[in-house]
């Protein structure tokens, strides 16, 4: 399988430095389009209110999280930016409707005022399955596309977005390890979850038939989830991996690729003017992805509905403490729904010296655990108090309502990307 990179334009890079000036809290959305008048990029960047010069150092210094710049106190109006609402420009080249591009540095804006529309960051482009997850988690929200998972985290931390909706595990592909690592690196809180079944479609330009195809592109997990079905369809073609499913559809449409099909959602076909050559091509109908909703502040845990709590812990003496930790939950009849180990990034190897046998090298791990109980439940509080005695590091990632939506594969709209 080959891998190609999609040419995202104006993707967000928060590691650049800009001259800070304050601007008024007039709301700016990513769906705005610039007029073609003399207004340079440097003029725009000088009007940004976000101080991004410390973002790079935040990843190197844990204490930098306390110095995230505020963005609510702005004074210079945005009226000088000459933005044109999207409603006045509904079609673009080839009579295709404009779609919002992944979040860029020029889209920075203050947090919405009280009662205004919630802004939700997700990874991908419009038509991505993560966009559908954001819509299910927060109906009528303003979905903000981001080109990377890390950008979605930072968008919430810097008040560009109010929430982020990101995948953490798929029933076939397993955990999305990148997001587990980012949960530990950033200081956001899990405030909810949504689960979406997977429903893949084979998309191509209008008039293209399957026998014309020489390759199929999509996200690596989508390609693997449809491998057998593609063979059954007689598509003995090259498979190439790209960043996300909707991005594959956009790539085919924008480059007028008549020999290439994309695996993506039916919504992506509508957005980018593609035809659906085959519907529901996933190999396994029992395929679902779990997303978590992230916010700057935790929610207040309750006991009047099913709650789930996510924690991460480690111990200086390796994995021998794991049995004691699990016993703390078993003794109180608390069910675990997930346990995941990840290498300890700051201390990946532990050396144990024995004069008789030499030096042993052991991997150090962090353990991520989800359990079915609210932090308002006394059982959960006592369990974590006991766990804290056995561990050198313990952090609660969030205590949040469980997704109790009935399982219905026929209503599949979601995926991990």
């Amino acid at each position: 399988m080959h891998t190609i990179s999609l040419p995202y334009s104006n993707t967000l890079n928060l590691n650049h430095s800009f001259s800070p000036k304050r601007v008024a809290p007039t709301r700016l959305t990513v769906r705005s389009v610039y007029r073609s008048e003399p207004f340079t990029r440097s003029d725009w960047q000088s009007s940004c209110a976000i101080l991004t010069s410390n973002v790079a150092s935040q990843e190197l210094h844990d204490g930098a999280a306390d110095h995230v710049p505020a963005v609510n106190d702005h004074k210079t109006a945005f009226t000088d930016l000459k933005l044109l609402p999207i409603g006045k420009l509904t079609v673009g080249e080839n009579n295709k409707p404009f779609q919002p591009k992944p979040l860029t540095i020029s889209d920075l804006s203050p947090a919405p005022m009280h009662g205004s529309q919630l802004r939700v960051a997700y990874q991908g482009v419009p038509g991505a399955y993560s966009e559908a997850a954001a819509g299910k988690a927060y109906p009528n929200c303003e979905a903000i596309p981001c080109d990377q998972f890390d950008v979605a985290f930072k968008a919430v931390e810097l008040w560009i977005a109010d929430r982020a909706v990101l995948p953490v595990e798929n029933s076939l592909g397993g955990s999305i390890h990148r997001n587990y690592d980012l949960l530990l690196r950033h200081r956001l809180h899990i405030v909810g979850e949504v689960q979406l079944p997977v429903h893949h479609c084979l998309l191509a330009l209008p008039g293209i038939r399957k026998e014309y195809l020489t390759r199929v592109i999509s996200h690596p997990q989508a390609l693997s989830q449809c491998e057998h079905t593609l063979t059954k369809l007689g598509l003995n073609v090259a498979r190439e991996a790209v960043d996300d499913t909707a991005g594959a559809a956009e790539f085919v449409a924008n480059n007028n690729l008549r020999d290439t099909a994309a695996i993506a959602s039916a919504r992506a076909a509508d957005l980018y003017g593609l035809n659906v050559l085959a519907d529901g091509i996933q190999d396994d109908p029992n395929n679902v992805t779990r997303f978590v909703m992230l916010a700057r502040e935790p929610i207040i845990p309750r006991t009047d509905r099913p709650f789930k709590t996510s924690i991460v812990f480690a111990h200086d003496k390796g994995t021998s403490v794991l049995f004691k930790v699990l016993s703390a939950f078993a003794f109180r009849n608390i069910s675990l729904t997930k346990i995941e180990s990840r290498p300890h990034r700051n201390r990946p190897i532990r050396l144990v010296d024995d004069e008789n046998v030499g030096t042993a090298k052991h991997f150090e791990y962090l353990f991520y655990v989800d359990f079915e109980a609210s932090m308002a439940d006394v059982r959960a509080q006592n369990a974590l108090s006991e766990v804290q005695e056995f561990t050198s590091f313990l952090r609660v990632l969030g205590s949040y309502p469980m997704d109790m939506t009935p399982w219905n594969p026929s209503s599949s709209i979601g995926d991990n990307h």
Side-chain angles (χ1 to χ4, degrees):
M1 179 189 301
H2 300 287
T3 302
I4 59 177
S5 299
L6 299 183
Y8 284 121
S9 61
N10 300 325
T11 53
L12 177 63
N13 185 344
L14 295 179
N15 294 322
H16 295 295
S17 298
F18 301 100
S19 301
K21 290 186 180 180
R22 296 186 172 182
V23 292
T26 303
R27 186 163 169 209
L28 171 66
T29 73
V30 298
R31 289 192 293 271
S32 297
V33 180
Y34 302 108
R35 289 176 177 166
S36 57
E37 297 182 12
F39 189 77
T40 66
R41 179 178 177 83
S42 59
D43 291 336
W44 169 263
Q45 290 171 346
S46 65
S47 300
C48 291
I50 309 295
L51 299 178
T52 60
S53 59
N54 291 328
V55 171
S57 62
Q58 288 173 12
E59 297 183 357
L60 301 177
H61 305 286
D62 294 337
D66 296 331
H67 304 289
V68 175
V71 298
N72 289 330
D73 186 16
H74 308 289
K75 294 184 178 180
T76 303
F78 267 114
T79 54
D80 296 334
L81 301 183
K82 300 180 176 63
L83 301 179
L84 186 62
I86 191 65
K88 296 184 180 180
L89 280 176
T90 57
V91 296
E93 189 176 355
N94 299 325
N95 291 324
K96 294 179 180 178
F98 282 109
Q99 303 300 334
K101 296 298 181 183
L103 191 64
T104 72
I105 196 64
S106 60
D107 295 314
L108 301 182
S109 58
M113 302 300 290
H114 178 72
S116 60
Q117 190 178 22
L118 203 66
R119 294 178 294 186
V120 181
Y122 68 93
Q123 186 274 329
V125 299
Y129 293 111
S130 291
E131 183 191 38
K136 179 180 179 182
Y138 300 103
N140 302 318
C141 70
E142 177 189 341
I144 301 178
C146 302
D147 68 333
Q148 300 175 32
F149 291 128
D150 196 20
V151 173
F153 276 86
K154 293 176 181 177
V156 178
E157 289 179 329
L158 296 177
W159 295 71
I160 303 167
D162 308 293
R163 301 286 189 274
V165 174
L166 298 170
V168 290
E169 59 181 331
N170 175 264
S171 58
L172 296 182
S175 298
I176 291 90
H177 294 135
R178 173 62 175 164
N179 283 338
Y180 275 99
D181 293 340
L182 290 172
L183 281 172
L184 190 61
R185 181 183 303 177
H186 296 269
R187 286 291 179 179
L188 299 183
H189 303 269
I190 303 177
V191 295
E193 66 174 3
V194 289
Q195 298 181 4
L196 292 174
V198 173
H199 192 85
H200 292 309
C201 299
L202 186 67
L203 312 180
L205 291 172
I208 300 301
R209 296 187 298 188
K210 289 182 290 186
E211 51 266 30
Y212 298 162
L213 301 176
T214 61
R215 65 172 177 168
V216 175
I217 63 174
S218 192
H219 187 273
Q221 284 201 19
L223 290 172
S224 64
Q225 292 167 5
C226 302
E227 183 176 358
H228 297 302
T229 303
L230 291 176
T231 302
K232 291 178 181 178
L233 291 173
L235 293 176
N236 187 20
V237 297
R239 275 83 155 168
E240 296 185 10
V242 296
D243 293 335
D244 60 79
T245 54
E250 183 184 38
F251 185 71
V252 170
N254 290 348
N255 293 278
N256 196 33
L257 301 178
R258 305 186 66 80
D259 63 342
T260 304
I263 297 176
S265 65
R267 169 170 160 76
D270 294 336
L271 289 176
Y272 302 112
L274 301 179
N275 282 353
V276 177
L277 297 182
D279 190 17
I281 63 172
Q282 62 277 0
D283 296 334
D284 191 337
N286 299 314
N287 186 356
V288 65
T289 296
R290 174 174 169 247
F291 295 78
V292 292
M293 296 111 80
L294 304 175
R296 289 179 292 273
E297 299 294 335
I299 61 173
I300 299 176
R302 298 162 54 178
T303 58
D304 58 348
R305 60 172 296 180
F307 258 63
K308 182 184 292 186
T309 300
S310 297
I311 65 172
V312 56
F313 64 87
H315 193 268
D316 292 336
K317 297 182 179 180
T319 59
S320 59
V321 74
L322 183 58
F323 174 77
K324 296 178 181 179
V325 171
L326 298 181
S327 298
F329 295 102
F331 178 74
R332 295 170 176 83
N333 293 320
I334 298 177
S335 298
L336 303 186
T337 60
K338 180 181 178 64
I339 181 169
E340 173 93 8
S341 64
R342 294 287 294 148
H344 200 307
R345 295 176 63 91
N346 296 330
R347 191 176 57 238
I349 299 294
R350 176 171 55 94
L351 301 180
V352 180
D353 293 321
D354 190 318
E355 60 182 8
N356 295 321
V357 297
T359 301
K361 300 178 180 65
H362 299 279
F363 284 100
E364 290 282 9
Y365 292 96
L366 294 165
F367 292 93
Y368 293 83
V369 171
D370 294 344
F371 59 87
E372 292 182 346
S374 168
M375 282 304 298
D377 189 335
V378 175
R379 297 179 305 147
Q381 297 172 11
N382 292 336
L384 290 190
S385 295
E386 184 175 340
V387 168
Q388 196 167 18
E389 297 177 4
F390 304 136
T391 58
S392 58
F393 167 76
L394 173 64
R395 176 178 162 191
V396 177
L397 298 174
S399 188
Y400 48 92
M402 295 175 59
D403 184 1
M404 305 300 290
T405 305
W407 169 246
N408 184 12
S410 62
S411 63
S412 303
I413 57 175
D415 188 8
N416 52 308
H417 292 278

